[in-house]
DNA sequence: GTCGTTGCAAAAAATTTGCAGAAAC
DNA sequence: GTTTCTGCAAATTTTTTGCAACGAC
């Protein structure tokens, strides 16, 4: 746990690392690049695979360490899925959450809202907990995958005739 | 994934297993008992340790399998914490979530609310996702731990005098 | 008696640690 | 030149699988 810089409003950047006093290395730049460009959430394994294109020979260990660092700096966010545990998605919003497509894993951010604040306030009042953090993720099917499944559905129906 | 029975309204029960056509065995009864009685969230490891009192020699493998089964039946709920990945808490409410104490891991359930529905509706509208599931967990300090830390705080202050 | 379940041993995955060499600054 | 990082090898930890024996129904 480090959290020196404030979380970003904007995509994960190299500046954030430097401002926090960390060195800007080839592996880190590669990982940052991969995460900024992904539209989805990536596991450490997937990050390594993709980052290797930009930084050949990058080690899985470095990926783990860098992901932990970036997450602590608030540049990326840990994403928990029902079973697959722990992938990472870029954090563009300081107080954001992700909707994740259960088909293609595309992740779209949305901002924390007043309604959520209301939920938290209610729970705090009713349970007596002092609530200081929350984890919200929505899961579903993204527009692109919806269209695709419509197409498949139609093909299936046609075939059945 | 199984989901034969409807999720419960009430604590995890042996009936739920039988109604779904599963056998009621000693290990399963032990695990059910442990989870019904815990006020917190437990990892598979912790479940084994505690269940072993009621069912000596119970295997970790059985614990894993039973937890997965009970979660699919909706009797218990998977709890994701920021780093500690995958513990389980009893599910008394069909559509509930948990507030988890970051100090003692006590977990208290609260029902899904309209406000949350509003959040989901907004996101669906704005992103085009078809949202069919969500993960919400609140984290903080429970009343008991708050008091305890107040006491420690006071002791510390007294000492400083 | 049948068939679902269990526990074991072992395999497979996922994650962490120690350390010498490489490379930012 | 210093100090931080990196990659490797190896250790740990977590979870899954195959299978013979067991026990619920």
């Amino acid at each position: 746990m480090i959290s020196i810089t404030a979380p970003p409003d904007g995509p994960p950047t190299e500046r954030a690392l430097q401002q926090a006093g960390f060195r800007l290395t080839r592996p880190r730049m590669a990982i940052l690049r991969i995460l900024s460009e992904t539209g989805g959430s990536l596991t450490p394994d997937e990050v390594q695979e993709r980052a290797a294109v930009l930084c050949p020979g990058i080690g899985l260990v470095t990926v783990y360490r860098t992901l932990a660092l970036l997450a602590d700096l608030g540049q990326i966010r840990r994403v928990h899925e029902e079973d697959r545990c722990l992938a990472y998605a870029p954090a563009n919003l300081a107080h954001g959450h992700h909707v994740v497509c259960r088909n293609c894993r595309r992740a779209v951010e949305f901002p924390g809202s007043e309604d959520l604040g209301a939920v938290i306030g209610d729970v705090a009042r009713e349970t007596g907990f002092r609530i200081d953090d929350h984890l919200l993720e929505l899961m579903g099917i993204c527009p692109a995958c919806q269209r695709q499944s419509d197409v498949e559905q139609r093909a299936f129906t046609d075939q059945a005739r």
Side-chain angles (χ1 to χ4, degrees), chain A residues 13-14 17-18 22-35 47-48 50-59 62-63 66-67 69-70:
Chain A
T13 63
E14 304 183 343
L17 269 178
Q18 293 191 297
F22 294 97
R23 293 184 179 173
L24 195 51
T25 65
R26 202 149 157 36
R28 284 176 178 169
M29 288 191 277
I31 292 171
L32 225 23
R33 183 77 161 279
I34 292 305
L35 278 161
V47 172
Q48 179 191 31
R50 301 194 190 191
V53 176
L54 302 175
C55 175
I58 186 174
T62 300
V63 172
T66 303
L67 290 175
L69 177 59
L70 293 174

Side-chain angles (χ1 to χ4, degrees), chain A residues 11 17 21 30 35 43 48 53 55 71 73 83-84 86 89 94 101 104 119 124 128-129 133 150 153 156-157 160:
Chain A
L17 269 178
L35 278 161
T43 60
Q48 179 191 31
V53 176
C55 175
L73 294 177
D83 35 3
R84 161 190 290 275
L86 235 45
C101 176
C104 69
V119 173
F129 270 62
D133 200 6
D150 287 350
Q153 196 59 46
F156 179 75
T157 311

Side-chain angles (χ1 to χ4, degrees), chain A residues 2-13 15-17 19-22 69-77 91-95:
Chain A
I2 297 182
S3 298
I4 297 178
T5 47
D9 259 314
T13 63
R15 270 189 56 227
L17 269 178
Q19 284 190 342
F22 294 97
L69 177 59
L70 293 174
D72 284 344
L73 294 177
Q75 298 294 303
I76 62 179
R77 189 141 41 224
N92 295 308
L93 304 172
H95 299 288

